[in-house]
Amino acid sequence: MSSYVGVLVSDPWLQSQFTQVELRTLKSKFYSTKTRFGRVTVKHLPPVLVKLKDFSGKFDENEIKTILDESYPNRAKEVEFETFLRAFLSVQSRGSKGASSFLKTGATTFHHAINESEKASYVSHINSYLKEEPILKSYLPINPNTNALFDLVKNGVLLCKLINVAVPGTIDERAINTKKELNPWERTENLSLCLNSAKAIGCTVVNIGTQDIAEGTPHLVLGLIFQIIKIQLLADLNLKKTPQLVELVEENQDVEELMGLAPEKLLLKWMNFHLKKAGYEKQVTNFSSDVKDGEAYAYLLNYLAPEHSTHVTLEIKDPSERAMKVLEQAEKLDCKRFLSPKDIVEGSANLNLAFVAQLFHHRNGLSDESSKVPVSVADMVTEDEETSREERCFRHWMNSLGAVTYVDNVFEDVRNGWVLLEVLDKVSPGSVNWKHANKPPIKMPFKKVENCNQVIKIGKELNFSLVNVAGHDIVQGNKKLLLAFLWQLMRYTMLQILNNLRSHWQGKDITEVDILNWANRKVKKSGRPSQAVSFKDKNLANGIFFLELLSAVEPRVVNWSLVSKGEKAEEEKNLNATYIISVARKLGCSIFLLPEDILEVNQKMMLILAASIMNWSLQQQSDTESTVSDDTDVSSVTEEISNLSTDDGSSDV
């Protein structure tokens, strides 16, 4: 496997204006134009740029031509890739009308002053949770007053370990390259494993590439670390992990409303629940301006920890002095790590959120008596395990696409149709008629139905199986229907990616049987004995076939000394399953399945896993502009297998 060093630009300033994800996207556009016309000239730029989603609807071709004419009057002049990037920036910089969602502020170096308080807080968290890691002992504790953190993340090991602290078991640590001196491709493997695993636990990493982390880009590193820490701190803020949260349900509120709240909103609700009991008359609606004066914290701590309470804190008038007293109280509960008095007074939203989450973990003040949790609520949160896994898979996949709205609960968040429209716009650009879409908050039920009707309409245009399905089914939160729709959407996306990678499918779209045949041919060609009859072949449960497939596309990626035969103990199969997932992510596959999906041979997830490996393999061939090899020949394929959802009860429309 060749070392991946990312897209490099000779001008450091120009390089700094883009992330690797953005550079790869623009490079692909540039070279596809060059392939089509033999060369790229200034006259080719307007029609190329206007088709980018970033400028679609904001400029027409003539407006872009006018902008470029100022800097590039000779329309016949040949353009190189760096000039193409500068042309993009020229159009992007033209006021609010040209503001690009592609070149987001969060993805460039403009105005990215490092928040030293946040850096110090995250370093403190890392020092606390990773101090016992043998491989990191010589590097910890990190000094928050230096930039050592940004150097330490460059090989990916620390970030992989941090992800496993946030969601234990996400990464099979046998797949991490941990030797002291890593070569370039070993570092890239670790960073791919880190970023793909971060996606799999719910982080949004759309504008971050492996090269960005390898370079230690401060604002991107801190942003990723905060997302990982946030997931760890909010992990217990749900009724399944903390059923006592049912106490927060008000008389006129349904338990399902509470279950549908995002963790941050649930944390605010918990805080206000105790503040009301403590006699605090205001409502805290955010973790910034509403807590700046420190009063809410003083009331909350006095109520939650009466043994450490003091009315002196409430009598202090100076906000900075009160903040200091608040943190003195919090320190007695071991809850000071994320905040300084300055952070409270300045209203640092990230750090205040982390601080309140820490308070919840150490002293939530809710009843410890399980008998107070109604049986009906316990039944509600103990839902079908496979349904829960699918919801998690689709939720993280949707968030990985980079849609504006973050999904916390699929079954609740998609019911107004808006999120599904955003996802459809990502998957099939231009398919959504935004003039007919209703943006949240939506009070009128028929407006939600209008959104969902458009979702169904687009689904039918994409040839989804939606017989007797209407918009109101989504509004009503039909779980079976939603899972079926999202499965078809994920499947469509993967097949489209594969179709776009190669143009030699002899006039036919790639199908599931093509993917299966490709995988079998790859394994056979590598000299391995395994073959899969279908994606529901029970022999796949031991993991050997997928390990042989991974080894076939990249021989050095599987350490066979770590692989068991998976024939006897269930534990052996589980070890293979966890190793498969981490090796695939290490290779560069973005997948969202769990080991249980392999052990139970979840047909849908097996297809996505195989398709992801195929996508990676073909991408390597495309990147090296290789010719079509015999293992991608699909001329022998004569039939197309039916939708996998038709015989799968959990996804049958």
Side-chain angles (χ1 to χ4, degrees), residues 431-447:
S431 62
V432 178
N433 186 341
W434 291 108
K435 291 181 180 178
H436 294 162
N438 305 293
K439 189 175 183 179
I442 305 171
K443 295 182 179 179
M444 304 299 290
F446 75 91
K447 294 287 187 183

Side-chain angles (χ1 to χ4, degrees), residues 323-520:
M324 192 176 297
K325 286 291 182 183
V326 161
L327 292 181
E328 286 176 7
Q329 281 181 266
E331 194 168 14
K332 294 172 183 177
L333 294 175
D334 194 28
C335 292
K336 187 186 175 183
R337 182 180 304 124
F338 289 100
L339 274 180
S340 68
K342 182 182 177 184
D343 299 321
I344 294 177
V345 174
E346 292 183 353
S348 173
N350 286 352
L351 299 183
N352 278 294
L353 167 64
F355 175 65
V356 177
Q358 210 179 16
L359 284 177
F360 176 86
H361 278 287
H362 286 79
R363 189 74 64 93
N364 66 35
L366 300 172
S367 172
D368 290 328
E369 299 177 34
S370 58
S371 59
K372 289 191 175 182
V373 181
V375 176
S376 59
V377 175
D379 291 340
M380 193 178 298
V381 297
T382 310
E383 57 184 327
D384 175 70
E385 188 178 338
E386 186 174 350
T387 297
S388 179
R389 286 209 311 267
E390 288 195 19
E391 185 276 337
R392 172 197 171 280
C393 170
F394 294 136
R395 169 164 36 95
H396 293 330
W397 171 70
M398 292 164 74
N399 288 329
S400 76
L401 297 175
V404 175
T405 307
Y406 190 85
V407 180
D408 289 294
N409 183 312
V410 167
F411 299 133
E412 292 300 319
D413 294 354
V414 305
R415 289 173 63 178
N416 62 17
W418 182 262
V419 173
L420 289 175
L421 289 174
E422 287 187 338
V423 171
L424 282 164
D425 193 50
K426 290 286 183 182
V427 169
S428 180
S431 62
V432 178
N433 186 341
W434 291 108
K435 291 181 180 178
H436 294 162
N438 305 293
K439 189 175 183 179
I442 305 171
K443 295 182 179 179
M444 304 299 290
F446 75 91
K447 294 287 187 183
K448 298 179 183 179
V449 174
E450 284 181 358
N451 282 352
C452 293
N453 280 340
Q454 185 176 178
V455 168
I456 298 299
K457 177 177 175 289
I458 296 170
K460 289 179 177 177
E461 290 170 354
L462 299 178
N463 295 320
F464 293 178
S465 177
L466 296 168
V467 181
N468 296 324
V469 178
H472 71 270
D473 295 312
I474 296 177
V475 176
Q476 290 173 358
N478 185 317
K479 292 184 179 181
K480 188 176 179 182
L481 181 149
L482 284 170
L483 291 177
F485 183 87
L486 289 171
W487 158 240
Q488 293 184 82
L489 193 55
M490 179 186 269
R491 173 183 171 277
Y492 169 85
T493 306
M494 180 53 71
L495 294 181
Q496 284 299 109
I497 290 172
L498 290 171
N499 282 324
N500 291 338
L501 272 177
R502 288 295 182 88
S503 59
H504 61 275
W505 298 113
Q506 300 186 353
K508 64 183 285 296
D509 286 340
I510 188 172
T511 66
E512 291 97 329
V513 78
D514 297 337
I515 297 169
L516 181 67
N517 287 347
W518 173 87
N520 278 326

Side-chain angles (χ1 to χ4, degrees), residues 539 541-544 562-569 572-573 576:
N539 291 323
N542 65 18
I544 299 299
L562 302 175
V563 178
S564 67
K565 292 183 179 180
E567 295 173 350
K568 298 178 181 179
E572 287 186 356
K573 293 181 180 179
N576 283 353

Side-chain angles (χ1 to χ4, degrees), residues 162 184 255 313 547 581:
L162 193 61
V255 175
T313 310
L547 286 167
I581 293 170

Side-chain angles (χ1 to χ4, degrees), residues 131-289:
K131 62 185 177 184
E132 299 301 325
E133 282 291 341
I135 196 169
L136 296 174
K137 272 193 171 181
S138 60
Y139 304 100
L140 298 181
I142 303 169
N143 184 346
N145 297 317
T146 69
N147 286 326
L149 171 64
F150 305 122
D151 289 327
L152 195 51
V153 300
K154 291 180 179 180
N155 67 7
V157 175
L158 183 144
L159 292 174
C160 286
K161 297 284 186 179
L162 193 61
I163 287 171
N164 268 357
V165 168
V167 184
T170 298
I171 295 175
D172 186 329
E173 299 200 358
R174 296 175 298 170
I176 305 174
N177 299 315
T178 56
K179 65 183 185 183
K180 193 166 185 180
E181 294 294 330
L182 298 178
N183 58 43
W185 60 80
E186 287 170 332
R187 285 196 298 272
T188 298
E189 285 178 345
N190 279 353
L191 293 171
S192 292
L193 176 57
C194 156
L195 290 179
N196 285 314
S197 299
K199 287 183 194 177
I201 66 170
C203 296
T204 301
V205 295
V206 174
N207 288 318
I208 307 176
T210 55
Q211 187 67 16
D212 300 310
I213 306 298
E215 293 170 358
T217 310
H219 69 282
L220 294 177
V221 169
L222 290 181
L224 178 59
I225 289 175
F226 172 69
Q227 288 188 77
I228 296 169
I229 292 175
K230 180 180 172 184
I231 286 168
Q232 177 189 344
L233 293 175
L234 300 182
D236 291 339
L237 274 152
N238 57 72
L239 282 172
K240 192 170 185 178
K241 294 282 187 68
T242 313
Q244 293 81 10
L245 284 166
V246 74
E247 290 182 41
L248 306 185
V249 178
E250 299 168 8
E251 290 183 9
N252 60 345
Q253 189 184 32
D254 196 325
V255 175
E256 288 195 11
E257 283 185 56
L258 190 73
M259 291 177 67
L261 287 178
E264 297 97 314
K265 291 184 179 178
L266 198 53
L267 193 60
L268 283 171
K269 192 172 183 67
W270 168 81
M271 190 176 179
N272 284 312
F273 173 77
H274 288 310
L275 286 175
K276 185 177 180 181
K277 287 185 175 182
Y280 188 66
E281 297 177 355
K282 301 175 186 176
Q283 275 275 325
V284 177
T285 61
N286 58 63
F287 294 108
S288 183
S289 58

Side-chain angles (χ1 to χ4, degrees), residues 521-573:
R521 280 196 299 274
K522 269 288 182 185
V523 171
K524 185 177 181 180
K525 191 177 179 182
S526 71
R528 298 282 180 173
S530 299
Q531 291 287 279
V533 176
S534 71
F535 288 119
K536 54 184 178 183
D537 185 343
K538 294 302 179 185
N539 291 323
L540 295 176
N542 65 18
I544 299 299
F545 176 79
F546 281 110
L547 286 167
E548 290 181 348
L549 177 59
L550 286 162
S551 182
V553 298
E554 177 45 65
R556 56 172 300 280
V557 79
V558 176
N559 183 346
W560 285 100
S561 67
L562 302 175
V563 178
S564 67
K565 292 183 179 180
E567 295 173 350
K568 298 178 181 179
E570 200 68 20
E571 184 182 349
E572 287 186 356
K573 293 181 180 179

